[in-house]
Amino acid sequence: MGHPEAAGGASLSQVRRLSRLARRVAAFVILLGAFARGALAHEVNPAIADVTVTPERVEIVATVPAEAWLAGVDLSSVTDTNASPRAEDYDKLRALPPDEVEALVQAEWNRLATGFRIAVGDTALVPALVTASVADAEDASLPRQTRLVVVADLPPDDTPVTVGWVAHYGPLILRQQGAVLAEGEDPYSAFLDGGAISAPMPRTGAAQETALASFAKYVWTGFQHILPKGLDHILFVLGLFFFSLKLRPLLYQVTAFTAAHTLTLALATLGIVSVPAGIVEPLIALSIAYVAVENIFHRRISRLRVAVVFGFGLLHGLGFASVLGDIGLSPGHFLASLIAFNIGVELGQLTIILVAFLSVGLWFGQKPWYRARIAVPASAGIAVMGVWWFVERTFL
């Protein structure tokens, strides 16, 4: 017959271990929650501008974060407004009804227009505001977009036009519209960040860029989609990392994930596969929760784990396709652009793994308590975030 003290001691030890685990999980969830709240509720997406150049004028139809511009938020240094010292000003503007924001844009246009960089050769042009319309949102905690239509008259010559804006207006997806294309020409598009300016756009035909510049553009776009903007993809990759520090399990998982998202990214971009974001995004959240929960209960890699990671990689590829859908792949360089974007994505994923290894695995990975004190609590926190995102994306 056992001693009650021994039984009680064992029970108390288990309670203490569970309590310590719960505290670690709670701390991790609080940290992730604070980051995720800013990233989701106050995230500022890249602006999208359709540019039409004619012999007489340039017209820009842009979807922009007007409240951030009005508040003076520097979008070159933050991806969510909570991280800006002007966050309070932004929140006040965000709480205004759409018609009041529209009136403010019109009243402040002379100031806002100076941020545009429209030029014909060395001659700078200041755009005139035609219309400003603010889309309403269901929840004041969510970002909303303003649609601007601006024009600028061009001098009577054939000098090409360049378009961009100052760095603190944030990244810009620019697409040239209405160009009469010669045989072999592709519509021009660009991802402009850090105050970058477009390639010269002729008044007839499309702007052209070198193959190397186009390749580099898509590599950078893919990388940025992971770091710093893809918090859900970051957590999924961390879920793979915390499963095991051994090279072979990590290699199997990353290879399966890469092959899968490359496949669906190509199919979705070609228009062969199309799944609504309302289905894809909740399932991506579930994928994050699943791999994290499995980390807690399984230690060895299995075919099922690799197959599940491959299946979830298919979903993430559909998520990546939404980014390329905004920019558009060059029809003449489809394969090269797709490969470049994937290289950027892989570099982002490898950077996450490298940072995680240098921060945690290198120092603590060989400790006997690594799994109990770091891998399991971190996986539990990631799982909680995945479940929360599923609920939010499905029901809220």
Side-chain angles (χ1 to χ4, degrees):
M1 186 173 179
H3 296 286
E5 293 82 0
S11 177
L12 181 60
S13 175
Q14 292 176 349
V15 169
R16 286 174 175 170
R17 285 198 299 269
L18 288 174
S19 177
R20 287 195 296 268
L21 175 61
R23 287 197 298 270
R24 295 187 190 109
V25 172
F28 193 78
V29 170
I30 291 171
L31 178 63
L32 281 178
F35 184 37
R37 180 175 176 81
L40 293 176
H42 295 80
E43 180 183 11
V44 180
N45 297 318
I48 299 175
D50 292 321
V51 180
T52 303
V53 181
T54 68
E56 294 81 22
R57 72 175 189 172
V58 55
E59 179 184 77
I60 303 173
V61 180
T63 303
V64 306
E67 289 99 341
W69 289 9
L70 290 166
V73 175
D74 184 355
L75 298 178
S76 66
S77 60
V78 299
T79 56
D80 70 272
T81 58
N82 278 345
S84 168
R86 308 306 297 270
E88 184 176 350
D89 295 332
Y90 171 85
D91 290 340
K92 290 178 180 178
L93 289 165
R94 180 61 191 83
L96 295 176
D99 57 342
E100 292 189 26
V101 177
E102 292 168 6
L104 284 173
V105 170
Q106 293 170 353
E108 295 287 325
W109 180 248
N110 287 340
R111 175 175 66 87
L112 297 177
T114 60
F116 282 73
R117 296 291 181 261
I118 305 172
V120 175
D122 295 329
T123 304
L125 306 176
V126 179
L129 178 64
V130 178
T131 61
S133 55
V134 179
D136 202 0
E138 296 179 1
D139 190 331
S141 67
L142 299 176
R144 65 182 172 191
Q145 301 296 327
T146 298
R147 182 178 182 270
L148 302 179
V149 178
V150 303
V151 298
D153 293 329
L154 302 179
D157 56 39
D158 294 328
T159 307
V161 180
T162 56
V163 173
W165 56 44
V166 291
H168 64 260
Y169 276 9
L172 167 64
I173 296 172
L174 184 147
R175 306 178 298 201
Q176 186 179 1
Q177 304 290 326
V180 179
L181 303 178
E183 185 175 354
E185 278 190 323
D186 298 322
Y188 171 71
S189 64
F191 183 84
L192 306 177
D193 199 7
I197 303 297
S198 72
M201 291 179 283
R203 305 192 191 186
T204 58
Q208 299 296 307
E209 60 184 354
T210 65
L212 181 59
S214 177
F215 193 88
K217 173 184 73 176
Y218 284 106
V219 170
W220 180 237
T221 302
F223 184 87
Q224 283 192 309
H225 186 61
I226 299 297
L227 287 170
K229 300 172 183 176
L231 180 58
D232 48 359
H233 301 301
I234 291 172
L235 291 189
F236 186 85
V237 173
L238 287 176
L240 304 184
F241 171 81
F242 283 118
F243 180 75
S244 173
L245 286 177
K246 295 180 179 179
L247 179 60
R248 189 171 69 172
L250 187 59
L251 182 62
Y252 283 161
Q253 293 178 91
V254 171
T255 300
F257 183 64
T258 298
H261 75 61
T262 300
L263 175 62
T264 48
L265 175 58
L267 293 176
T269 305
L270 287 169
I272 298 174
V273 174
S274 178
V275 181
I279 296 176
V280 172
E281 294 302 323
L283 291 178
I284 287 177
L286 273 186
S287 74
I288 296 168
Y290 179 90
V291 296
V293 168
E294 194 175 41
N295 290 352
I296 300 172
F297 297 103
H298 298 277
R299 297 192 180 195
R300 294 185 177 180
I301 193 74
S302 65
R303 292 181 179 178
L304 178 60
R305 167 83 176 194
V306 175
V308 168
V309 170
F310 181 87
F312 288 142
L314 297 175
L315 293 172
H316 284 252
L318 296 173
F320 295 148
S322 65
V323 178
L324 288 183
D326 288 333
I327 301 176
L329 284 178
S330 168
H333 306 91
F334 176 84
L335 183 59
S337 301
L338 186 63
I339 291 173
F341 183 84
N342 266 297
I343 289 174
V345 169
E346 297 317 309
L347 289 174
Q349 292 174 174
L350 291 175
T351 300
I352 295 167
I353 293 171
L354 179 62
V355 170
F357 177 76
L358 293 177
S359 302
V360 178
L362 179 64
W363 302 100
F364 311 114
Q366 301 305 315
K367 302 293 185 182
W369 42 260
Y370 168 77
R371 175 175 167 79
R373 297 185 182 181
I374 295 179
V376 169
S379 296
I382 292 171
V384 170
M385 289 306 306
V387 171
W388 164 246
W389 279 339
F390 174 76
V391 173
E392 183 182 54
R393 295 173 183 182
T394 305
F395 304 108
L396 301 182

